[in-house]
Amino acid sequence: EYSTLCQLVEPLTIGKTGESCQRHGTCLNGVCHRVGRKWKCQCHTGFQNVNGSCIDIDECLNNVCRRGECTNTDGSFICTCPDGFVLNKDGRTCTDMNECEKENMCPNGVCQNMNGSYKCRCNPGFRQSPNQQVCYDINECVNNGKLCLNGDCHNTPGSYYCECKRGFSLSPDGAFCVDYNECLVKGMCTNGRCVNMDGSHKCICMLGYTLSAGGQVCIDVNECVNNPNLCTNGECINTQGSYKCECYRGYILQPDGKTCRDTRRGLCYTQVHRGQCSNPSYSPMTKSTCCCTEDNANNGWGTPCEICPKPNDRDYKTICPHGPGKDGNGGGINECAMYPDACQNGACEDLDMGYRCICDPGYKMDDTGRACVDINECAENKYICDGGKCRNSPGSYTCMCPTGFVQSKTTKMCEDINECESFDTLCVGGNCVNLAGSFRCECTVPGTVLDSSARVCIDNRRGTCWKKIHNDLCEDNIKGDTLRSECCGTLGKAWGSPCERCPSQSSRNCPKGYAIISGVKCTDINECDVLPGICQNGYCINTDGSYKCNCPEGLSIDQSGHRCVDYRKSSCYLEYNHGRCSGELFGQFHQAICCCSVGTAWGSPCNSCPQPDSDEYKRLCERRGYAPNFKEQKLNFFKDINECLEIPDICSNGVCHNTPGGFNCDCKQGFAIDGRGFNCTDIDECRISFGVCANGTCVNTPGAFTCDCNEGYEGVMMNQMCI
């Protein structure tokens, strides 16, 4: 067949397969077969006969490739699988490729196959790559800043480890370093207190101990070596954790435990003669204060007196370890305090070595420098008091200038004093005229004259003092004449005739109750003398700048402060005879209400009321039937007494009618006014009427009578007749 095919000389032309087979015995993309007398082309696989020609079949149109991509070829097709898939033997199906079966897939993790792929599930300490197919080591030291706290973090493949700092140990989970409590170690910080710290510890040593070089224990401090001068005036002895001071003889250890002081105190003597001490100090002092002065050549101290050692003596260094001028404790010795009289007529100034005197004015220092002597100014300057006499005095001098002259500070001479210029108030109320060595005052206001001091112009005129001014008219004058200053300084509103208004209080030179009587000083006004009768019904007591009214027993001062009024209430009696009181009224009454109306006696025990023509009666009642207005507290105003209201049992058996200064009783039928005009008494008709109740007996009753008829008779007309 091949030879037959290849012997064809003419090229094949694409045409219908039947014709090709008929002419050439071959067909494109197929095989020629004789069918009967005809040839027929049978197409190869992948081709189909279309109108006698073998045309390629596009298998890709029939989705022949599962899970892959189909590519058509002549007479066939090719399936191309995606990554992670492989083509089955049928050439048509892409199945998943299990990458996990390959060796070394997913190191540091576990390979997990997936549809068309795979992923790695990483071991702890590793993380996936973005495509999840590689496991990378996690650097825990970088990712977690709190890891390995108090230590150093070291990364390892898939993990890490902590290297702790000194003083720290690894926690149970190995994630961080925890503090190690060194204080739990036995013997740590001996002689002290162990304080655990974060990663370390410290020893707080007890007083008297210090930390050793290793910092683990506290060792004793030798205070005596470290501070040779620790014990003042004593010997230092070291002890465990402390020290003690043993004082020298004669010294006593102080509360601070390190200072030895000579606390014995005795008198210091500045003179010693043949073992006898004299000239003692004012107050006791320590031996070192006495014996360590700059000059102690003749000093002694104490009782019995001990002679102070000299600077070259053996005991001097013990008593005066700091040398002269310093006491045993190293303090300065104040000679000024030791000897208060060291610098008479001057001030004592303490120096480091000794003292010096600063003299007062008028004194100068003597040659020793420790005493102040008087300066005789009169002898040193003969012109110091020219025109007068110079008299020296201790620390000063006095110029004896004639009266009216004074020493000039400039010329030191005695010059005339212009008193009128030197003293503004020299002449009060007048003019000052200067004279050589003196002055005189002249009064310029009419009515004023110089007082006894010849320096004050006073108004010594006396006139009427008025207590009221009404419509520019002066009223209510005070009895007697007074000085204007006395009048206007007390109760006066105006003074004189014709009257002149008193100046206002703000323009007066003296406060209320004071006046300038003589001189320039405000003196108290004795109102009790100047204003006679100022205290009505009482007596006046003068006080500084004022006065007060005191009342007799039983009286009280009223609101004005000038009048004593009897506020008491007591029994009122209608009759008083030979010291006996009778006819007591019901109730309690003021004395004026009682005595100024119907009463003749008052009080308990009772006393006779004042006689109507007496001064006492006028002060009490003013007139009959009038008394002070007690209800409205207007005790200066006398008001008619309403007896009908004030006296409850007045006008019994009648009707009371008040009248100015009195009252009237209208009696009921059968009653008549009594002899005093106070009450209505029963009329005894049986006694005063003749022949009444004939044929019977008359029986008197209050305000009427009845007849008690004889046998056989009968009472008629309200039993006032018998028939």
Side-chain angles (χ1 to χ4, degrees):
E1 290 178 356
Y2 181 80
S3 298
T4 303
L5 285 174
C6 295
Q7 288 177 0
L8 292 178
V9 178
E10 293 180 4
L12 294 177
T13 59
I14 297 175
K16 292 181 179 180
T17 58
E19 292 180 357
S20 178
C21 286
Q22 183 73 30
R23 293 178 61 188
H24 304 289
T26 184
C27 60
L28 185 62
N29 298 323
V31 177
C32 291
H33 292 279
R34 183 181 297 273
V35 179
R37 297 178 67 183
K38 292 186 179 180
W39 288 89
K40 185 178 180 182
C41 188
Q42 183 180 357
C43 296
H44 296 316
T45 302
F47 293 89
Q48 62 181 348
N49 192 329
V50 178
N51 298 323
S53 297
C54 289
I55 303 301
D56 176 59
I57 300 172
D58 190 353
E59 295 86 352
C60 294
L61 297 177
N62 296 325
N63 294 324
V64 293
C65 292
R66 290 186 61 196
R67 300 176 184 171
E69 182 179 350
C70 181
T71 304
N72 188 53
T73 62
D74 283 341
S76 186
F77 62 91
I78 297 174
C79 286
T80 305
C81 295
D83 292 340
F85 289 84
V86 293
L87 193 62
N88 282 354
K89 294 180 180 181
D90 62 2
R92 292 172 173 264
T93 303
C94 292
T95 59
D96 176 54
M97 181 178 63
N98 191 348
E99 297 90 344
C100 296
E101 293 178 350
K102 294 181 180 180
E103 189 177 355
N104 290 329
M105 291 297 290
C106 292
N108 302 318
V110 177
C111 180
Q112 183 178 354
N113 186 56
M114 298 174 64
N115 194 14
S117 182
Y118 71 98
K119 67 177 180 180
C120 295
R121 186 170 66 248
C122 297
N123 297 332
F126 294 87
R127 60 181 175 82
Q128 290 177 331
S129 62
N131 64 0
Q132 298 184 337
Q133 294 178 350
V134 180
C135 290
Y136 294 108
D137 175 50
I138 298 173
N139 191 338
E140 294 86 352
C141 300
V142 175
N143 291 350
N144 188 350
K146 294 184 179 180
L147 210 58
C148 295
L149 187 65
N150 300 315
D152 295 326
C153 181
H154 297 277
N155 187 57
T156 61
S159 186
Y160 67 96
Y161 70 92
C162 294
E163 185 178 351
C164 295
K165 296 179 181 177
R166 183 178 181 182
F168 293 88
S169 61
L170 197 63
S171 64
D173 60 0
F176 57 92
C177 298
V178 294
D179 174 56
Y180 173 69
N181 192 346
E182 296 86 350
C183 295
L184 298 178
V185 178
K186 186 176 180 179
M188 186 67 75
C189 295
T190 304
N191 298 319
R193 180 167 59 92
C194 180
V195 178
N196 186 54
M197 301 174 66
D198 199 21
S200 181
H201 76 286
K202 68 176 179 179
C203 292
I204 300 177
C205 296
M206 294 187 296
L207 189 64
Y209 293 87
T210 187
L211 197 63
S212 65
Q216 304 296 318
V217 293
C218 296
I219 58 176
D220 175 57
V221 176
N222 192 332
E223 295 86 353
C224 302
V225 173
N226 292 345
N227 187 359
N229 298 320
L230 186 61
C231 294
T232 305
N233 299 322
E235 181 182 356
C236 180
I237 299 176
N238 187 58
T239 62
Q240 270 297 314
S242 185
Y243 67 95
K244 67 177 181 178
C245 292
E246 290 188 355
C247 297
Y248 298 139
R249 180 174 173 270
Y251 288 81
I252 298 176
L253 188 65
Q254 298 302 297
D256 64 359
K258 58 184 179 181
T259 302
C260 297
R261 289 189 177 179
D262 185 4
T263 57
R264 298 175 301 162
R265 304 183 73 82
L267 296 179
C268 183
Y269 301 88
T270 57
Q271 293 182 7
V272 180
H273 182 67
R274 294 182 179 180
Q276 298 294 321
C277 298
S278 59
N279 195 19
S281 59
Y282 287 96
S283 59
M285 61 189 71
T286 62
K287 186 174 183 179
S288 62
T289 302
C290 175
C291 296
C292 299
T293 55
E294 180 187 9
D295 182 13
N296 74 338
N298 208 23
N299 284 9
W301 175 87
T303 304
C305 181
E306 302 174 10
I307 299 174
C308 291
K310 304 300 182 286
N312 295 328
D313 292 348
R314 179 179 177 181
D315 293 338
Y316 185 83
K317 184 65 177 178
T318 301
I319 298 175
C320 307
H322 304 285
K326 304 288 185 179
D327 62 16
N329 301 315
I333 299 175
N334 191 338
E335 289 87 354
C336 298
M338 291 176 60
Y339 311 114
D341 296 333
C343 294
Q344 294 187 6
N345 303 315
C348 179
E349 182 182 14
D350 183 53
L351 303 175
D352 287 340
M353 300 295 290
Y355 69 94
R356 69 176 180 178
C357 293
I358 300 175
C359 297
D360 296 335
Y363 292 88
K364 61 183 179 180
M365 194 178 300
D366 67 357
D367 295 338
T368 67
R370 296 193 173 186
C372 296
V373 296
D374 176 56
I375 299 172
N376 190 338
E377 294 86 355
C378 298
E380 293 187 1
N381 185 1
K382 61 181 180 180
Y383 299 106
I384 198 169
C385 290
D386 193 21
K389 293 182 179 180
C390 180
R391 177 175 295 174
N392 187 57
S393 59
S396 184
Y397 68 94
T398 304
C399 283
M400 308 297 292
C401 292
T403 303
F405 292 84
V406 69
Q407 183 186 18
S408 171
K409 295 180 179 180
T410 305
T411 63
K412 305 298 183 180
M413 299 174 62
C414 292
E415 297 178 350
D416 174 52
I417 301 172
N418 189 338
E419 294 87 353
C420 299
E421 293 181 355
S422 300
F423 308 98
D424 295 336
T425 59
L426 197 60
C427 295
V428 179
N431 292 334
C432 179
V433 179
N434 186 58
L435 303 174
S438 184
F439 69 96
R440 74 166 181 267
C441 295
E442 296 178 349
C443 296
T444 57
V445 178
T448 59
V449 295
L450 288 173
D451 66 354
S452 58
S453 69
R455 293 179 55 190
V456 181
C457 294
I458 59 173
D459 188 352
N460 62 352
R461 295 173 298 169
R462 291 184 173 272
T464 303
C465 184
W466 306 89
K467 293 195 290 184
K468 296 180 181 179
I469 299 177
H470 182 67
N471 294 332
D472 292 332
L473 296 178
C474 298
E475 299 176 352
D476 194 8
N477 64 299
I478 297 173
K479 295 179 181 180
D481 293 335
T482 64
L483 295 175
R484 181 175 182 177
S485 59
E486 293 176 333
C487 172
C488 296
T490 54
L491 302 179
K493 301 297 182 183
W495 176 86
S497 298
C499 66
E500 303 173 2
R501 286 181 179 270
C502 288
S504 63
Q505 182 60 43
S506 60
S507 62
R508 294 183 72 249
N509 295 324
C510 297
K512 197 75 172 178
Y514 293 86
I516 299 176
I517 308 300
S518 178
V520 295
K521 185 179 179 181
C522 292
T523 57
D524 173 57
I525 301 172
N526 190 337
E527 292 87 352
C528 301
D529 293 339
V530 174
L531 310 173
I534 191 172
C535 294
Q536 297 183 32
N537 304 327
Y539 50 93
C540 178
I541 298 177
N542 186 59
T543 61
D544 192 21
S546 185
Y547 67 96
K548 66 177 180 179
C549 291
N550 280 8
C551 298
E553 184 178 1
L555 300 186
S556 302
I557 200 71
D558 67 358
Q559 291 180 334
S560 68
H562 301 149
R563 180 174 178 170
C564 294
V565 179
D566 194 346
Y567 287 100
R568 297 173 299 169
K569 286 185 176 184
S570 189
S571 300
C572 183
Y573 300 90
L574 297 177
E575 297 293 341
Y576 181 82
N577 188 14
H578 298 293
R580 293 176 178 266
C581 300
S582 60
E584 182 180 358
L585 297 177
F586 177 76
Q588 299 287 301
F589 304 90
H590 292 287
Q591 184 183 16
I593 298 296
C594 174
C595 294
C596 299
S597 57
V598 298
T600 60
W602 176 86
S604 179
C606 69
N607 290 299
S608 174
C609 288
Q611 295 299 316
D613 56 349
S614 65
D615 292 338
E616 185 181 359
Y617 184 87
K618 292 179 181 178
R619 287 195 299 269
L620 184 65
C621 307
E622 189 177 69
R623 53 183 169 144
R624 184 74 178 176
Y626 287 84
N629 188 353
F630 290 102
K631 290 184 178 180
E632 299 181 7
Q633 294 292 314
K634 296 180 179 179
L635 303 183
N636 289 327
F637 176 71
F638 285 83
K639 182 180 179 182
D640 171 56
I641 301 172
N642 190 338
E643 293 86 353
C644 300
L645 295 177
E646 297 286 352
I647 304 172
D649 52 358
I650 196 170
C651 291
S652 60
N653 300 314
V655 179
C656 179
H657 297 282
N658 187 57
T659 62
F663 65 96
N664 291 325
C665 290
D666 289 343
C667 296
K668 299 177 182 179
Q669 186 177 355
F671 294 87
I673 196 74
D674 63 5
R676 293 175 301 194
F678 181 77
N679 278 322
C680 296
T681 59
D682 177 53
I683 300 173
D684 190 352
E685 293 88 353
C686 298
R687 184 178 61 82
I688 64 173
S689 300
F690 178 75
V692 70
C693 288
N695 303 315
T697 302
C698 181
V699 179
N700 187 56
T701 60
F705 69 94
T706 59
C707 293
D708 186 7
C709 299
N710 297 331
E711 187 176 354
Y713 290 87
E714 183 180 7
V716 294
M717 297 188 67
M718 298 182 67
N719 285 337
Q720 292 184 347
M721 290 181 65
C722 294
I723 59 173

